[in-house]
């Protein structure tokens, strides 16, 4: 899998999560979110961060020879690969679980449970029997600022050319 592909997919996954795409799976009521100062106490084994909600971020893997990206931001998750799946991550659960819905109706990777999270490695066991091991991907920040283009040349023509005929309505 090329770094360019995983980076582009990671940026796309992050954009989906930031823009709010996907199902919230809820009743429309908002749930209180923990502040960034609150941290969960780990309940897993030594070096195992699965119980802390440390799954936030972008992860890449190959499943069945196909590249895929898992992006988790708070309680939202997206899995991009051969199909696009979006849904929720229950980071308060011990272990963390995923509930996703795929655009093509596939169910191979819709219900998952974090089996291991150690450093840069995340292993998810899916209800279908598939297990994937993801590697953490560092996504560069994307600027949303529009750059200054400076002064335009003063010799640009003004108006439309005189020989231009517009189509009749």
């Amino acid at each position: 899998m090329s770094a360019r592909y995983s980076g582009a997919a990671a940026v796309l996954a992050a954009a989906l999560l930031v823009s709010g795409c996907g199902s919230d799976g809820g009743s429309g009521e908002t749930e209180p979110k923990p502040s960034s100062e609150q941290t969960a106490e780990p309940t897993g084994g030594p070096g195992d961060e699965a119980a802390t909600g440390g799954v936030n971020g972008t992860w890449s893997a190959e499943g069945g020879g196909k590249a895929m990206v898992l992006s988790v931001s708070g309680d939202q998750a997206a899995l991009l690969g051969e199909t696009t799946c979006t849904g929720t991550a229950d980071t308060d659960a011990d272990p963390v679980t995923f509930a996703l819905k795929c655009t093509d109706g596939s169910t191979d990777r819709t219900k998952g449970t974090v089996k291991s999270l150690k450093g840069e490695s995340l292993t998810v066991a899916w209800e279908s029997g598939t297990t994937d091991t993801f590697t953490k991907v560092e996504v560069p920040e994307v600027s949303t600022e529009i750059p200054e283009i400076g002064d335009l040349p003063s010799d640009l023509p003004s108006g439309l050319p005189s020989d231009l005929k517009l189509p009749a309505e």
Side-chain angles (χ1 to χ4, degrees):
M1 168 172 59
S2 75
R4 179 181 290 165
Y5 176 78
S6 64
V11 170
L12 176 60
L16 284 171
L17 290 173
V18 170
S19 68
C21 285
S23 166
D24 66 2
S27 61
E29 296 179 25
T30 58
E31 294 182 27
K33 304 251 190 258
S35 76
S36 60
E37 296 173 0
Q38 295 175 324
T39 57
E41 292 297 318
T43 59
D48 192 347
E49 303 167 11
T52 68
V55 297
N56 282 313
T58 304
W59 305 84
S60 68
E62 284 195 30
K66 307 274 187 203
M68 60 186 156
V69 173
L70 174 66
S71 184
V72 183
S73 178
D75 65 351
Q76 298 293 302
L79 181 65
L80 306 168
E82 203 168 338
T83 186
T84 301
C85 308
T86 58
T88 59
D90 186 352
T91 56
D92 292 330
D94 183 13
V96 174
T97 58
F98 299 102
L100 307 176
K101 183 175 182 179
C102 301
T103 55
D104 68 355
S106 68
T107 57
D108 290 345
R109 291 178 173 89
T110 54
K111 301 245 185 259
T113 302
V114 172
K115 290 299 177 189
S116 170
L117 174 58
K118 295 180 182 174
E120 303 292 306
S121 181
L122 169 68
T123 302
V124 178
W126 301 98
E127 199 174 75
S128 66
T130 302
T131 299
D132 296 313
T133 300
F134 295 87
T135 303
K136 185 84 169 194
V137 175
E138 291 303 318
V139 179
E141 253 186 66
V142 178
S143 173
T144 58
E145 282 188 37
I146 298 173
E148 297 277 330
I149 60 171
D151 293 331
L152 294 175
S154 60
D155 59 347
L156 290 177
S158 63
L160 295 173
S162 58
D163 61 345
L164 181 66
K165 300 206 189 250
L166 296 176
E169 292 185 48

